[in-house]
């Protein structure tokens, strides 16, 4: 939430004369933020494609590229410079919003309750030191240059209650020049033997270097693309991590450095080992308490649970389960 004078702002910006009042969802986002989600909802409410938004801004003497607009509504970047803030003022007019409705969401944060637009992945994991060492060994920049647009993930549990495998199908967007790879980070459960974990390229990528540390349940694998992406370009790829080496599993968690993408997670259980309770949750960091907990019901012949989040991250999102 955006916080002003130490307290949450619970007032809605009143609609200006001649403007249609926003929908309940858009009004909530204009009140609480974050900026990128409110902007995306406002664009959707007006039914405008980004090139039309750019055209209408140009009519008002403001030049903003489609790529920048896309970054803003995905949460990959945040307007900060004076010309960008001028564009946001013009956006309020284009999107039929009250003056200041979007700008107020860009005001300086006064509370730790406000999540940043982007967050280092290393703040989202427990083995941060090991992960940092592995990323350095692979020559990975602090910002990999990619943000998630759409991510479908399937996790399979075995008869011993162990994590057998997880498969990912991802659509990503580039916000840095020359991106040609994705680093897949796997966190096994206690007892995981990292050298026995296997990474398989399923679609539009190939496996490059794979790194781990003995005794630490973290594996980092390069997934190499067959092209170099420019800012604003997208890419779709899929891969599978085969584990099965760890002990009893109790949750699966996915970390997001940037916000704005859709995430779908499905967890499937063996009929010989079904949980008695499942729930979805979010966490701000690896050490934070669970938030937004919601009970999940087994489906698919009482073998699977799932969650769908249209605006995942920054932070952690997952499913946990209890055994009998």
């Amino acid at each position: 939430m955006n916080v002003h004078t130490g307290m949450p702002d619970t007032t809605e910006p009143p609609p200006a004369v001649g403007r249609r009042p926003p929908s309940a969802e858009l009004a909530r986002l204009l009140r609480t933020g974050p900026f990128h989600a409110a902007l995306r909802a406002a664009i959707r409410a007006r039914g405008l494609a980004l090139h039309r938004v750019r055209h209408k801004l140009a009519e008002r003497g403001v030049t903003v590229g489609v790529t920048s607009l896309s970054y803003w509504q995905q949460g990959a970047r945040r307007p900060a410079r004076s010309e960008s803030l001028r564009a946001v003022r013009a956006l309020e007019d284009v999107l039929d919003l009250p003056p200041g409705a979007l700008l107020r969401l860009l005001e300086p944060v006064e509370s730790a309750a406000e999540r940043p637009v982007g967050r280092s992945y290393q703040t989202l994991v427990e083995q941060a030191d090991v992960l940092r060492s592995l990323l350095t060994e692979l020559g990975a920049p602090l910002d990999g240059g990619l943000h998630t647009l759409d991510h479908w993930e399937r996790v399979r549990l075995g008869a011993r209650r162990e994590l057998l495998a997880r498969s990912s199908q991802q659509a990503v967007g580039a916000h840095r020049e020359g991106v040609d790879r994705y680093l897949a980070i796997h966190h096994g459960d206690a007892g995981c033997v990292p050298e026995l974990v296997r990474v398989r390229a399923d679609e539009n990528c190939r496996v490059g270097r794979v790194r781990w540390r003995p005794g630490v349940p973290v594996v980092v694998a390069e997934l190499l693309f067959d092209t170099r992406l420019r800012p604003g370009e997208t890419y779709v790829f899929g891969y599978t991590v085969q584990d099965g080496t760890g002990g009893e599993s109790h949750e699966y968690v996915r970390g997001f450095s940037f916000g704005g993408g859709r995430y779908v997670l499905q967890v499937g259980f063996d009929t010989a080992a079904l949980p008695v309770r499942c729930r979805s949750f979010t966490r701000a960091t690896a050490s934070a308490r669970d938030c937004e907990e919601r009970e999940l019901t087994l489906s698919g012949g009482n073998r699977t649970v799932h969650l769908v989040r249209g605006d995942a991250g920054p932070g952690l999102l997952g499913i946990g389960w209890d055994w009998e």
Side-chain angles (χ1 to χ4, degrees):
M1 67 181 76
N2 270 71
V3 181
H4 303 273
T5 65
M7 292 293 291
D9 185 352
T10 57
T11 61
E12 284 188 25
V17 176
R19 298 183 187 272
R20 293 171 297 177
S23 66
E25 174 65 10
L26 177 54
R28 181 185 67 81
L29 289 171
L30 290 174
R31 185 174 66 250
T32 66
F35 168 81
H36 71 273
L39 174 61
R40 185 168 60 251
I43 293 174
R44 185 168 56 243
R46 286 281 280 126
L48 294 175
L50 290 184
H51 73 274
R52 291 294 301 156
V53 175
R54 180 188 62 180
H55 177 72
K56 289 181 175 294
L57 287 173
E59 291 178 338
R60 291 161 172 78
V62 176
T63 301
V64 179
V66 169
T67 298
S68 293
L69 292 171
S70 177
Y71 289 165
W72 291 356
Q73 72 165 0
Q74 292 166 4
R77 291 184 184 172
R78 186 179 176 95
R81 295 182 298 180
S82 58
E83 58 266 34
S84 297
L85 297 178
R86 177 171 173 259
V88 173
R89 293 188 189 94
L91 272 171
E92 293 169 346
D93 184 46
V94 168
L95 300 175
D96 201 26
L97 297 174
L102 292 174
L103 277 174
R104 62 188 291 275
L105 299 177
L106 293 172
E107 293 176 0
V109 176
E110 297 179 7
S111 169
E114 172 71 3
R115 294 186 304 181
V117 173
R119 180 173 295 159
S120 168
Y121 195 86
Q122 296 169 23
T123 68
L124 306 178
V125 300
E126 294 179 348
Q127 298 91 0
D129 291 341
V130 173
L131 178 58
R132 188 179 302 110
S133 173
L134 295 175
L135 294 176
T136 299
E137 190 173 323
L138 292 173
L142 293 178
D143 173 9
L146 296 172
H147 53 275
T148 298
L149 302 175
D150 196 273
H151 189 174
W152 285 71
E153 192 158 40
R154 292 175 173 86
V155 175
R156 284 194 300 124
L157 277 293
R160 295 188 298 103
R161 304 178 176 179
E162 81 281 17
L163 191 155
L164 282 179
R166 63 176 182 86
S167 297
S168 290
Q169 182 79 16
Q170 290 184 244
V172 295
H175 53 264
R176 190 167 54 80
E177 188 71 36
V179 181
D180 63 354
R181 68 197 62 207
Y182 175 84
L183 292 181
I185 302 171
H186 176 70
H187 299 270
D189 291 302
C192 169
V193 183
E195 54 267 36
L196 298 182
V197 173
R198 296 291 177 262
V199 181
R200 183 185 73 214
D202 295 331
E203 183 179 10
N204 297 331
C205 64
R206 64 186 188 278
V207 178
R209 295 171 293 174
V210 180
R211 295 290 184 269
W212 67 86
R213 292 287 183 270
V216 181
V218 177
V219 177
V220 180
E222 280 184 324
L223 298 172
L224 306 174
F225 303 158
D226 58 5
T227 186
R228 288 182 176 273
L229 302 178
R230 296 178 177 178
E233 291 184 332
T234 59
Y235 198 77
V236 174
F237 65 100
Y239 68 96
T240 296
V241 177
Q242 297 172 324
D243 192 338
T245 66
E248 191 172 278
S249 182
H250 292 273
E251 65 179 25
Y252 183 81
V253 182
R254 164 64 61 174
F256 296 89
S257 298
F258 295 99
R262 183 180 68 160
Y263 179 59
V264 181
L265 170 62
Q266 177 178 283
V267 179
F269 300 92
D270 191 284
T271 53
L274 296 176
V276 295
R277 175 178 175 264
C278 298
R279 71 192 190 284
S280 64
F281 59 85
T282 64
R283 290 177 191 149
T285 66
S287 59
R289 294 184 300 175
D290 291 353
C291 300
E292 301 180 18
E293 289 190 276
R294 179 175 299 178
E295 294 289 328
L296 300 177
T297 302
L298 286 167
S299 58
N302 291 328
R303 292 183 58 186
T304 66
V305 289
H306 74 276
L307 64 81
V308 179
R309 180 61 65 90
D311 184 20
L316 295 144
L317 180 62
I319 292 177
W321 50 89
D322 298 325
W323 303 107
E324 187 175 6

